[in-house]
């Protein structure tokens, strides 16, 4: 687009690069230093000591339990979303019923409901249902709050399937069930991977529902573990940084190997 | 994408055959109704009750609303939410437009840098807040090491202005990549012929930016701006972890005040009333969003972006 190098933009882009990378640099170098070494050298200096104890301390401190809980929550949320959203989107795209279009509009309105706004009644519901301080108690509302965007994303993706294909299936006498499995699902793969990544991110990074709906160590997820760790050992910066790094590693991994789906999933986050 | 081989069956059927019925929508709808619609009604009902977390909520008429109207912290929280949101929009919008348009170029180095710019988005809000709290630690943080630049005692979170500046900066650090991404996509879809025509007319880089790029990004500016507003008004994790609403109540924005009332003072009635205020504001903004961007008529997730 621009034939000559744009030095002004170049300088700006380098400044922003520093703003992004300096914190990451401090985080990564802090994790391999001792607490004393980090304190005496200062955050921006080159590491003056080397240790892996920070990660060891996380393991002995029960952080792996939090990771495991987060994995359970994430997998379950994704499972619920993948089970209920594709049939709904299929109905929205193909059904001619007014009820379905009303439902779709309700879901769109649901985009506007911030989780904070309904957290009190959800706390009440979950408590009454006896699900307080359980992983299920986190999973159900987290999955529910993924539904509006996932429905929007997948419906968009399914609308790209040309009507002729549906008609061809119908001409062959296919039931909705068969069209769904033989036509819709295979052609919605990219939309489905987007909603998988989106809901996985929501679950992995979720904070409010775990904060309100759980309290014991056995049901703690990573984000809450980070928060607790910070309140208790705020001065142990290398330890904290190791926990932060550990919490983002799986997402980083997905970023490296499934960049496209992740970017689209995150744009979904933006849609909220 | 491959087209599936269509079936071998020889039955015939009209275009209305094989359409999914209501049942297909039912599981998602029931699930969503239970955890979003019912609580939404619940929050309205509970704003007229008093409940301390034990027993059952009891109706107390307009008590909560009267309390809120006379509550200075609540009024201040609305003002602070608006201020933080406005600062976020004012800082992130120009920044992400410039970065997005720049990153839209096809040069190799730009692709590499935009991949790096993306990193903050990979962290949860909790992780971002814990990270920045550690980076800004009064004793062991960056302001201490660079006292020459930051001055003072290195405790940026110790004053209202400092705390607001930190929240704004951390918000920008976390969310600029998202908006950059939106603008990058939008800038790439500007028809190249517009630039070619401008070049024939002798337009320079600046002229092309202001006369072509910016007007073409109009829709994205609306979308991204509204996302920033909704995101700003519902900020919670960052405030809880970075400032705890402090110093004093100096950064107690509305969602955080709701949390404090409901889950720390166990005054769930007042908490619900605050939440209802949030719902009304967020819904109003979102309705504007649907109107302004034609979200409801959108055909695919990428459109309008």
């Amino acid at each position: 687009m621009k034939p000559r190098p744009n030095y002004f933009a170049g300088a700006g882009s380098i400044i922003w690069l520093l703003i992004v990378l300096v914190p990451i640099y401090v985080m990564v170098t802090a994790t391999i230093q001792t607490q004393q070494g980090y304190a005496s050298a200062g955050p921006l200096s080159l590491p003056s000591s080397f240790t892996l104890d920070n990660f060891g301390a996380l393991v002995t401190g029960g952080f792996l339990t939090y990771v495991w809980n987060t994995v359970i929550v994430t997998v379950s949320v994704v499972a619920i979303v993948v089970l209920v959203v594709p049939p709904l989107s299929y109905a929205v795209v193909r059904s001619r019923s007014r009820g379905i279009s009303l439902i779709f509009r309700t879901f769109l309105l649901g985009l506007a409901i911030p989780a904070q706004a309904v957290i009190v009644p959800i706390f009440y519901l979950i408590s009454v249902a006896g699900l307080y301080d359980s992983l299920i108690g986190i999973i159900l509302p987290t999955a529910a709050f993924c539904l509006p965007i996932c429905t929007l994303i997948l419906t968009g993706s399914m609308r790209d399937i040309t009507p002729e294909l549906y008609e061809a299936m119908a001409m062959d006498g296919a039931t909705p069930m068969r069209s769904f499995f033989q036509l819709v699902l295979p052609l919605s793969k990219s939309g489905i991977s987007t909603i998988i990544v989106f809901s996985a991110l929501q679950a992995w990074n979720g904070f409010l529902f775990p904060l309100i709906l759980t309290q014991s160590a056995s049901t703690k997820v990573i984000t809450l573990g980070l928060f607790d760790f910070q309140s208790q050992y705020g001065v142990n910066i290398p330890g904290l940084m190791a926990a932060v790094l550990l919490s983002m590693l799986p997402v980083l991994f997905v970023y490296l190997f499934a960049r496209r789906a992740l970017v689209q999933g995150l744009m979904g986050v933006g849609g909220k | 994408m491959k087209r599936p081989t269509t079936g071998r069956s020889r039955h015939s059927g009209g275009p209305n055959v094989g359409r999914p019925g209501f049942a297909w929508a039912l599981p998602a709808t029931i699930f969503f109704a239970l955890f979003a619609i019912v609580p939404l009604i619940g929050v309205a009902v509970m704003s007229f009750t008093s409940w301390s977390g034990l027993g059952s909520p009891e109706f107390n008429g307009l008590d909560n609303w009267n309390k809120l109207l006379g509550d200075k912290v609540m009024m201040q929280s609305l003002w602070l939410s608006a201020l933080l949101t406005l600062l976020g929009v004012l800082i992130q919008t120009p920044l992400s437009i410039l970065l997005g348009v720049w990153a839209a170029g096809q040069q190799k180095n730009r692709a590499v840098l935009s991949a790096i710019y993306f990193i903050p988005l990979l962290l949860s809000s909790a992780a971002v807040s814990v990270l920045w709290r550690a980076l800004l630690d009064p004793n062991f943080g960056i302001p201490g090491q660079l006292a020459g630049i930051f001055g003072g005692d290195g405790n940026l979170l110790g004053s209202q202005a400092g705390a607001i500046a930190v929240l704004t900066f951390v918000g920008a650090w976390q969310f600029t990549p998202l908006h950059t991404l939106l603008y990058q996509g939008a800038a790439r879809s500007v028809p190249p012929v517009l630039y070619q025509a401008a070049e024939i007319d002798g337009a320079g880089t600046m002229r092309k930016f202001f006369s072509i790029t910016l007007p073409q990004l109009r829709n994205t500016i609306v979308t991204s701006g509204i996302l920033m507003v909704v995101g700003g008004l519902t900020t919670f994790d960052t405030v809880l972890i970075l400032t705890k609403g402090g110093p004093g109540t100096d950064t107690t924005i509305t969602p955080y005040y709701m949390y404090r009332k409901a889950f720390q003072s166990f005054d769930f009635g007042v908490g619900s009333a605050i939440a209802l205020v949030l719902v009304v504001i967020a819904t109003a903004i979102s309705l504007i969003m649907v109107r302004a961007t034609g979200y409801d008529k959108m055909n695919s997730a990428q459109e309008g972006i």
Side-chain angles (χ1 to χ4, degrees), chain A residues 13 19 43-45 94 96 116-117 156 171-172 230 255 270, chain B residues 7 9 11 16 19 115 117 133 145 173 227 234 258 275 279 299:
Chain A
S13 66
I19 292 176
L44 298 171
S45 316
R94 286 300 289 168
R96 285 180 173 166
Q116 291 97 330
M171 291 293 264
D172 285 344
Q230 199 240 16
Y255 183 50
Chain B
S9 159
H11 303 289
N16 272 319
R19 287 188 185 269
Y117 289 163
R133 174 115 186 201
Q145 195 176 9
W173 190 81
L227 291 179
T234 54
M258 187 272 299
V279 174
N299 278 333

PDB file of all heavy atoms in Angstrom, chain A residues 13 19 43-45 94 96 116-117 156 171-172 230 255 270, chain B residues 7 9 11 16 19 115 117 133 145 173 227 234 258 275 279 299:
ATOM      1  N   SER A  13       5.578   2.042  15.911  1.00  0.00           N
ATOM      2  CA  SER A  13       5.365   0.604  16.074  1.00  0.00           C
ATOM      3  C   SER A  13       6.411   0.000  16.998  1.00  0.00           C
ATOM      4  O   SER A  13       6.123  -0.949  17.725  1.00  0.00           O
ATOM      5  CB  SER A  13       5.380  -0.091  14.714  1.00  0.00           C
ATOM      6  OG  SER A  13       6.669   0.017  14.152  1.00  0.00           O
ATOM      7  N   ILE A  19       6.300  -1.460  24.705  1.00  0.00           N
ATOM      8  CA  ILE A  19       5.255  -1.455  25.745  1.00  0.00           C
ATOM      9  C   ILE A  19       4.670  -2.849  25.916  1.00  0.00           C
ATOM     10  O   ILE A  19       4.352  -3.283  27.027  1.00  0.00           O
ATOM     11  CB  ILE A  19       4.161  -0.423  25.390  1.00  0.00           C
ATOM     12  CG1 ILE A  19       4.747   0.987  25.489  1.00  0.00           C
ATOM     13  CG2 ILE A  19       2.950  -0.564  26.305  1.00  0.00           C
ATOM     14  CD1 ILE A  19       3.806   2.096  25.076  1.00  0.00           C
ATOM     15  N   PRO A  43      13.501  -5.206  38.334  1.00  0.00           N
ATOM     16  CA  PRO A  43      12.739  -5.950  37.321  1.00  0.00           C
ATOM     17  C   PRO A  43      13.321  -5.867  35.914  1.00  0.00           C
ATOM     18  O   PRO A  43      13.217  -6.828  35.152  1.00  0.00           O
ATOM     19  CB  PRO A  43      11.354  -5.295  37.381  1.00  0.00           C
ATOM     20  CG  PRO A  43      11.525  -4.013  38.119  1.00  0.00           C
ATOM     21  CD  PRO A  43      12.698  -4.186  39.019  1.00  0.00           C
ATOM     22  N   LEU A  44      13.922  -4.713  35.562  1.00  0.00           N
ATOM     23  CA  LEU A  44      14.324  -4.549  34.164  1.00  0.00           C
ATOM     24  C   LEU A  44      15.718  -5.093  33.875  1.00  0.00           C
ATOM     25  O   LEU A  44      16.113  -5.191  32.720  1.00  0.00           O
ATOM     26  CB  LEU A  44      14.263  -3.063  33.784  1.00  0.00           C
ATOM     27  CG  LEU A  44      12.866  -2.438  33.868  1.00  0.00           C
ATOM     28  CD1 LEU A  44      12.933  -0.930  33.694  1.00  0.00           C
ATOM     29  CD2 LEU A  44      11.961  -3.040  32.805  1.00  0.00           C
ATOM     30  N   SER A  45      16.473  -5.437  34.928  1.00  0.00           N
ATOM     31  CA  SER A  45      17.848  -5.873  34.709  1.00  0.00           C
ATOM     32  C   SER A  45      17.886  -7.299  34.165  1.00  0.00           C
ATOM     33  O   SER A  45      16.894  -8.028  34.214  1.00  0.00           O
ATOM     34  CB  SER A  45      18.611  -5.821  36.030  1.00  0.00           C
ATOM     35  OG  SER A  45      18.317  -4.629  36.709  1.00  0.00           O
ATOM     36  N   ARG A  94     -32.470 -22.533   9.107  1.00  0.00           N
ATOM     37  CA  ARG A  94     -33.350 -23.266   8.197  1.00  0.00           C
ATOM     38  C   ARG A  94     -34.831 -23.212   8.534  1.00  0.00           C
ATOM     39  O   ARG A  94     -35.666 -23.420   7.661  1.00  0.00           O
ATOM     40  CB  ARG A  94     -32.919 -24.734   8.114  1.00  0.00           C
ATOM     41  CG  ARG A  94     -31.668 -24.952   7.315  1.00  0.00           C
ATOM     42  CD  ARG A  94     -31.807 -24.496   5.881  1.00  0.00           C
ATOM     43  NE  ARG A  94     -32.676 -25.346   5.066  1.00  0.00           N
ATOM     44  CZ  ARG A  94     -33.106 -25.004   3.861  1.00  0.00           C
ATOM     45  NH1 ARG A  94     -32.765 -23.839   3.351  1.00  0.00           N
ATOM     46  NH2 ARG A  94     -33.889 -25.811   3.193  1.00  0.00           N
ATOM     47  N   ARG A  96     -38.582 -21.931   9.393  1.00  0.00           N
ATOM     48  CA  ARG A  96     -39.337 -20.752   9.019  1.00  0.00           C
ATOM     49  C   ARG A  96     -40.275 -20.328  10.139  1.00  0.00           C
ATOM     50  O   ARG A  96     -41.112 -19.462   9.957  1.00  0.00           O
ATOM     51  CB  ARG A  96     -40.141 -21.033   7.756  1.00  0.00           C
ATOM     52  CG  ARG A  96     -39.229 -21.032   6.551  1.00  0.00           C
ATOM     53  CD  ARG A  96     -39.993 -21.295   5.287  1.00  0.00           C
ATOM     54  NE  ARG A  96     -39.112 -21.123   4.134  1.00  0.00           N
ATOM     55  CZ  ARG A  96     -39.427 -21.538   2.923  1.00  0.00           C
ATOM     56  NH1 ARG A  96     -40.572 -22.135   2.722  1.00  0.00           N
ATOM     57  NH2 ARG A  96     -38.584 -21.353   1.930  1.00  0.00           N
ATOM     58  N   GLN A 116     -21.783  -9.600  35.384  1.00  0.00           N
ATOM     59  CA  GLN A 116     -21.869  -8.937  36.687  1.00  0.00           C
ATOM     60  C   GLN A 116     -23.300  -8.583  37.043  1.00  0.00           C
ATOM     61  O   GLN A 116     -23.678  -8.575  38.204  1.00  0.00           O
ATOM     62  CB  GLN A 116     -21.070  -7.621  36.694  1.00  0.00           C
ATOM     63  CG  GLN A 116     -19.592  -7.787  36.619  1.00  0.00           C
ATOM     64  CD  GLN A 116     -19.127  -7.616  35.203  1.00  0.00           C
ATOM     65  OE1 GLN A 116     -19.859  -7.920  34.273  1.00  0.00           O
ATOM     66  NE2 GLN A 116     -17.916  -7.142  35.023  1.00  0.00           N
ATOM     67  N   ALA A 117     -24.080  -8.257  36.006  1.00  0.00           N
ATOM     68  CA  ALA A 117     -25.419  -7.752  36.249  1.00  0.00           C
ATOM     69  C   ALA A 117     -26.342  -8.814  36.830  1.00  0.00           C
ATOM     70  O   ALA A 117     -27.285  -8.501  37.535  1.00  0.00           O
ATOM     71  CB  ALA A 117     -26.002  -7.191  34.960  1.00  0.00           C
ATOM     72  N   GLY A 156     -23.925 -17.297  11.561  1.00  0.00           N
ATOM     73  CA  GLY A 156     -23.295 -16.621  10.434  1.00  0.00           C
ATOM     74  C   GLY A 156     -22.605 -17.594   9.517  1.00  0.00           C
ATOM     75  O   GLY A 156     -22.728 -17.532   8.292  1.00  0.00           O
ATOM     76  N   MET A 171     -34.609 -32.868  -1.688  1.00  0.00           N
ATOM     77  CA  MET A 171     -35.076 -33.598  -2.861  1.00  0.00           C
ATOM     78  C   MET A 171     -34.803 -35.087  -2.696  1.00  0.00           C
ATOM     79  O   MET A 171     -35.569 -35.925  -3.140  1.00  0.00           O
ATOM     80  CB  MET A 171     -34.339 -33.107  -4.114  1.00  0.00           C
ATOM     81  CG  MET A 171     -34.686 -31.706  -4.550  1.00  0.00           C
ATOM     82  SD  MET A 171     -36.355 -31.580  -5.129  1.00  0.00           S
ATOM     83  CE  MET A 171     -36.073 -31.767  -6.889  1.00  0.00           C
ATOM     84  N   ASP A 172     -33.685 -35.373  -2.062  1.00  0.00           N
ATOM     85  CA  ASP A 172     -33.338 -36.772  -1.842  1.00  0.00           C
ATOM     86  C   ASP A 172     -34.102 -37.363  -0.667  1.00  0.00           C
ATOM     87  O   ASP A 172     -33.849 -38.489  -0.256  1.00  0.00           O
ATOM     88  CB  ASP A 172     -31.830 -36.908  -1.583  1.00  0.00           C
ATOM     89  CG  ASP A 172     -31.052 -36.756  -2.879  1.00  0.00           C
ATOM     90  OD1 ASP A 172     -31.690 -36.860  -3.943  1.00  0.00           O
ATOM     91  OD2 ASP A 172     -29.838 -36.527  -2.816  1.00  0.00           O
ATOM     92  N   GLN A 230      -1.868 -13.760  44.897  1.00  0.00           N
ATOM     93  CA  GLN A 230      -1.441 -12.372  44.959  1.00  0.00           C
ATOM     94  C   GLN A 230      -1.811 -11.735  46.285  1.00  0.00           C
ATOM     95  O   GLN A 230      -1.035 -10.985  46.861  1.00  0.00           O
ATOM     96  CB  GLN A 230      -2.059 -11.604  43.799  1.00  0.00           C
ATOM     97  CG  GLN A 230      -1.361 -10.317  43.506  1.00  0.00           C
ATOM     98  CD  GLN A 230      -2.294  -9.157  43.663  1.00  0.00           C
ATOM     99  OE1 GLN A 230      -3.354  -9.276  44.269  1.00  0.00           O
ATOM    100  NE2 GLN A 230      -1.899  -8.039  43.129  1.00  0.00           N
ATOM    101  N   TYR A 255      -2.303 -20.531  20.402  1.00  0.00           N
ATOM    102  CA  TYR A 255      -1.967 -19.405  19.513  1.00  0.00           C
ATOM    103  C   TYR A 255      -0.945 -19.836  18.469  1.00  0.00           C
ATOM    104  O   TYR A 255      -1.047 -19.490  17.295  1.00  0.00           O
ATOM    105  CB  TYR A 255      -1.415 -18.253  20.353  1.00  0.00           C
ATOM    106  CG  TYR A 255      -1.093 -17.007  19.567  1.00  0.00           C
ATOM    107  CD1 TYR A 255      -2.019 -16.459  18.678  1.00  0.00           C
ATOM    108  CD2 TYR A 255       0.114 -16.349  19.731  1.00  0.00           C
ATOM    109  CE1 TYR A 255      -1.736 -15.307  17.984  1.00  0.00           C
ATOM    110  CE2 TYR A 255       0.405 -15.188  19.034  1.00  0.00           C
ATOM    111  CZ  TYR A 255      -0.520 -14.672  18.155  1.00  0.00           C
ATOM    112  OH  TYR A 255      -0.238 -13.532  17.462  1.00  0.00           O
ATOM    113  N   GLY A 270     -14.525 -10.019  21.434  1.00  0.00           N
ATOM    114  CA  GLY A 270     -14.752  -8.608  21.177  1.00  0.00           C
ATOM    115  C   GLY A 270     -16.207  -8.325  20.902  1.00  0.00           C
ATOM    116  O   GLY A 270     -16.710  -7.268  21.246  1.00  0.00           O
TER     117      GLY A 270
ATOM    118  N   GLY B   7     -26.966 -37.622  -0.846  1.00  0.00           N
ATOM    119  CA  GLY B   7     -27.444 -39.000  -0.655  1.00  0.00           C
ATOM    120  C   GLY B   7     -27.867 -39.704  -1.931  1.00  0.00           C
ATOM    121  O   GLY B   7     -28.017 -39.092  -2.992  1.00  0.00           O
ATOM    122  N   SER B   9     -30.626 -41.576  -2.034  1.00  0.00           N
ATOM    123  CA  SER B   9     -32.052 -41.898  -1.952  1.00  0.00           C
ATOM    124  C   SER B   9     -32.817 -41.290  -3.124  1.00  0.00           C
ATOM    125  O   SER B   9     -32.456 -40.240  -3.636  1.00  0.00           O
ATOM    126  CB  SER B   9     -32.595 -41.369  -0.625  1.00  0.00           C
ATOM    127  OG  SER B   9     -33.977 -41.215  -0.715  1.00  0.00           O
ATOM    128  N   HIS B  11     -36.251 -40.651  -3.068  1.00  0.00           N
ATOM    129  CA  HIS B  11     -37.533 -40.022  -2.731  1.00  0.00           C
ATOM    130  C   HIS B  11     -37.542 -38.595  -3.228  1.00  0.00           C
ATOM    131  O   HIS B  11     -36.507 -37.957  -3.344  1.00  0.00           O
ATOM    132  CB  HIS B  11     -37.745 -40.024  -1.216  1.00  0.00           C
ATOM    133  CG  HIS B  11     -37.691 -41.397  -0.644  1.00  0.00           C
ATOM    134  ND1 HIS B  11     -38.674 -42.312  -0.843  1.00  0.00           N
ATOM    135  CD2 HIS B  11     -36.745 -41.995   0.123  1.00  0.00           C
ATOM    136  CE1 HIS B  11     -38.344 -43.439  -0.225  1.00  0.00           C
ATOM    137  NE2 HIS B  11     -37.172 -43.276   0.374  1.00  0.00           N
ATOM    138  N   ASN B  16     -39.982 -27.347   1.231  1.00  0.00           N
ATOM    139  CA  ASN B  16     -40.287 -27.226   2.647  1.00  0.00           C
ATOM    140  C   ASN B  16     -40.033 -28.507   3.421  1.00  0.00           C
ATOM    141  O   ASN B  16     -40.115 -28.528   4.641  1.00  0.00           O
ATOM    142  CB  ASN B  16     -41.735 -26.794   2.847  1.00  0.00           C
ATOM    143  CG  ASN B  16     -41.837 -25.281   2.829  1.00  0.00           C
ATOM    144  OD1 ASN B  16     -40.985 -24.605   3.398  1.00  0.00           O
ATOM    145  ND2 ASN B  16     -42.853 -24.771   2.148  1.00  0.00           N
ATOM    146  N   ARG B  19     -37.111 -29.357   6.846  1.00  0.00           N
ATOM    147  CA  ARG B  19     -36.708 -28.221   7.667  1.00  0.00           C
ATOM    148  C   ARG B  19     -36.788 -28.610   9.142  1.00  0.00           C
ATOM    149  O   ARG B  19     -37.701 -29.291   9.556  1.00  0.00           O
ATOM    150  CB  ARG B  19     -37.618 -27.025   7.405  1.00  0.00           C
ATOM    151  CG  ARG B  19     -37.340 -26.402   6.061  1.00  0.00           C
ATOM    152  CD  ARG B  19     -38.102 -25.105   5.906  1.00  0.00           C
ATOM    153  NE  ARG B  19     -37.922 -24.585   4.572  1.00  0.00           N
ATOM    154  CZ  ARG B  19     -36.949 -23.748   4.233  1.00  0.00           C
ATOM    155  NH1 ARG B  19     -36.089 -23.345   5.134  1.00  0.00           N
ATOM    156  NH2 ARG B  19     -36.839 -23.306   3.011  1.00  0.00           N
ATOM    157  N   ALA B 115       1.877 -10.067  15.130  1.00  0.00           N
ATOM    158  CA  ALA B 115       1.724 -11.316  15.880  1.00  0.00           C
ATOM    159  C   ALA B 115       2.167 -11.129  17.332  1.00  0.00           C
ATOM    160  O   ALA B 115       1.580 -11.695  18.253  1.00  0.00           O
ATOM    161  CB  ALA B 115       2.524 -12.436  15.221  1.00  0.00           C
ATOM    162  N   TYR B 117       2.202  -8.114  18.940  1.00  0.00           N
ATOM    163  CA  TYR B 117       1.252  -7.188  19.574  1.00  0.00           C
ATOM    164  C   TYR B 117       0.089  -7.933  20.224  1.00  0.00           C
ATOM    165  O   TYR B 117      -0.572  -7.437  21.119  1.00  0.00           O
ATOM    166  CB  TYR B 117       0.655  -6.230  18.532  1.00  0.00           C
ATOM    167  CG  TYR B 117       1.603  -5.200  18.000  1.00  0.00           C
ATOM    168  CD1 TYR B 117       1.315  -4.505  16.830  1.00  0.00           C
ATOM    169  CD2 TYR B 117       2.780  -4.887  18.668  1.00  0.00           C
ATOM    170  CE1 TYR B 117       2.172  -3.546  16.333  1.00  0.00           C
ATOM    171  CE2 TYR B 117       3.648  -3.936  18.171  1.00  0.00           C
ATOM    172  CZ  TYR B 117       3.340  -3.275  17.011  1.00  0.00           C
ATOM    173  OH  TYR B 117       4.194  -2.323  16.511  1.00  0.00           O
ATOM    174  N   ARG B 133       0.182  -5.532  38.649  1.00  0.00           N
ATOM    175  CA  ARG B 133       0.329  -5.196  40.067  1.00  0.00           C
ATOM    176  C   ARG B 133       1.762  -5.506  40.513  1.00  0.00           C
ATOM    177  O   ARG B 133       2.373  -4.739  41.245  1.00  0.00           O
ATOM    178  CB  ARG B 133      -0.686  -6.008  40.871  1.00  0.00           C
ATOM    179  CG  ARG B 133      -0.522  -5.847  42.333  1.00  0.00           C
ATOM    180  CD  ARG B 133      -1.708  -5.183  42.960  1.00  0.00           C
ATOM    181  NE  ARG B 133      -1.384  -4.939  44.355  1.00  0.00           N
ATOM    182  CZ  ARG B 133      -2.260  -4.750  45.291  1.00  0.00           C
ATOM    183  NH1 ARG B 133      -3.530  -4.733  44.990  1.00  0.00           N
ATOM    184  NH2 ARG B 133      -1.877  -4.560  46.521  1.00  0.00           N
ATOM    185  N   GLN B 145      12.589   1.152  40.185  1.00  0.00           N
ATOM    186  CA  GLN B 145      13.874   1.078  39.494  1.00  0.00           C
ATOM    187  C   GLN B 145      14.114   2.306  38.625  1.00  0.00           C
ATOM    188  O   GLN B 145      15.245   2.748  38.467  1.00  0.00           O
ATOM    189  CB  GLN B 145      13.936  -0.200  38.643  1.00  0.00           C
ATOM    190  CG  GLN B 145      15.349  -0.525  38.182  1.00  0.00           C
ATOM    191  CD  GLN B 145      15.414  -1.841  37.428  1.00  0.00           C
ATOM    192  OE1 GLN B 145      14.399  -2.440  37.099  1.00  0.00           O
ATOM    193  NE2 GLN B 145      16.621  -2.297  37.153  1.00  0.00           N
ATOM    194  N   TRP B 173      -3.311  -1.555  27.505  1.00  0.00           N
ATOM    195  CA  TRP B 173      -2.337  -2.618  27.230  1.00  0.00           C
ATOM    196  C   TRP B 173      -3.061  -3.917  26.874  1.00  0.00           C
ATOM    197  O   TRP B 173      -2.681  -4.629  25.955  1.00  0.00           O
ATOM    198  CB  TRP B 173      -1.452  -2.823  28.468  1.00  0.00           C
ATOM    199  CG  TRP B 173      -0.267  -3.711  28.242  1.00  0.00           C
ATOM    200  CD1 TRP B 173       0.912  -3.354  27.680  1.00  0.00           C
ATOM    201  CD2 TRP B 173      -0.153  -5.103  28.574  1.00  0.00           C
ATOM    202  NE1 TRP B 173       1.762  -4.438  27.640  1.00  0.00           N
ATOM    203  CE2 TRP B 173       1.131  -5.523  28.173  1.00  0.00           C
ATOM    204  CE3 TRP B 173      -1.008  -6.038  29.164  1.00  0.00           C
ATOM    205  CZ2 TRP B 173       1.585  -6.817  28.358  1.00  0.00           C
ATOM    206  CZ3 TRP B 173      -0.555  -7.347  29.347  1.00  0.00           C
ATOM    207  CH2 TRP B 173       0.732  -7.723  28.941  1.00  0.00           C
ATOM    208  N   LEU B 227     -17.898  -1.481  21.649  1.00  0.00           N
ATOM    209  CA  LEU B 227     -17.282  -2.560  22.429  1.00  0.00           C
ATOM    210  C   LEU B 227     -16.488  -1.983  23.592  1.00  0.00           C
ATOM    211  O   LEU B 227     -16.511  -2.499  24.707  1.00  0.00           O
ATOM    212  CB  LEU B 227     -16.350  -3.393  21.550  1.00  0.00           C
ATOM    213  CG  LEU B 227     -16.997  -4.240  20.477  1.00  0.00           C
ATOM    214  CD1 LEU B 227     -15.930  -4.978  19.690  1.00  0.00           C
ATOM    215  CD2 LEU B 227     -17.956  -5.218  21.113  1.00  0.00           C
ATOM    216  N   THR B 234     -18.291  -2.423  32.276  1.00  0.00           N
ATOM    217  CA  THR B 234     -18.390  -3.665  33.043  1.00  0.00           C
ATOM    218  C   THR B 234     -17.035  -4.121  33.583  1.00  0.00           C
ATOM    219  O   THR B 234     -16.903  -5.252  34.036  1.00  0.00           O
ATOM    220  CB  THR B 234     -19.003  -4.793  32.185  1.00  0.00           C
ATOM    221  OG1 THR B 234     -18.248  -4.917  30.993  1.00  0.00           O
ATOM    222  CG2 THR B 234     -20.435  -4.496  31.834  1.00  0.00           C
ATOM    223  N   MET B 258     -21.056  -2.858  43.212  1.00  0.00           N
ATOM    224  CA  MET B 258     -22.072  -3.909  43.285  1.00  0.00           C
ATOM    225  C   MET B 258     -21.496  -5.129  44.011  1.00  0.00           C
ATOM    226  O   MET B 258     -22.116  -5.677  44.923  1.00  0.00           O
ATOM    227  CB  MET B 258     -22.499  -4.270  41.854  1.00  0.00           C
ATOM    228  CG  MET B 258     -23.659  -5.213  41.739  1.00  0.00           C
ATOM    229  SD  MET B 258     -23.189  -6.953  41.756  1.00  0.00           S
ATOM    230  CE  MET B 258     -22.143  -7.040  40.326  1.00  0.00           C
ATOM    231  N   ALA B 275     -26.933  -3.684  40.186  1.00  0.00           N
ATOM    232  CA  ALA B 275     -26.815  -4.533  39.003  1.00  0.00           C
ATOM    233  C   ALA B 275     -27.859  -4.155  37.963  1.00  0.00           C
ATOM    234  O   ALA B 275     -27.569  -4.147  36.756  1.00  0.00           O
ATOM    235  CB  ALA B 275     -26.958  -5.998  39.392  1.00  0.00           C
ATOM    236  N   VAL B 279     -27.580  -3.269  34.058  1.00  0.00           N
ATOM    237  CA  VAL B 279     -28.311  -3.927  32.968  1.00  0.00           C
ATOM    238  C   VAL B 279     -28.943  -2.891  32.063  1.00  0.00           C
ATOM    239  O   VAL B 279     -28.838  -2.969  30.840  1.00  0.00           O
ATOM    240  CB  VAL B 279     -29.428  -4.851  33.512  1.00  0.00           C
ATOM    241  CG1 VAL B 279     -30.252  -5.410  32.372  1.00  0.00           C
ATOM    242  CG2 VAL B 279     -28.853  -5.952  34.341  1.00  0.00           C
ATOM    243  N   ASN B 299     -24.646 -11.293   8.429  1.00  0.00           N
ATOM    244  CA  ASN B 299     -24.668 -12.648   7.903  1.00  0.00           C
ATOM    245  C   ASN B 299     -23.486 -13.493   8.349  1.00  0.00           C
ATOM    246  O   ASN B 299     -23.575 -14.700   8.385  1.00  0.00           O
ATOM    247  CB  ASN B 299     -24.716 -12.632   6.387  1.00  0.00           C
ATOM    248  CG  ASN B 299     -26.124 -12.429   5.908  1.00  0.00           C
ATOM    249  OD1 ASN B 299     -27.068 -12.804   6.624  1.00  0.00           O
ATOM    250  ND2 ASN B 299     -26.297 -11.826   4.761  1.00  0.00           N
TER     251      ASN B 299
END
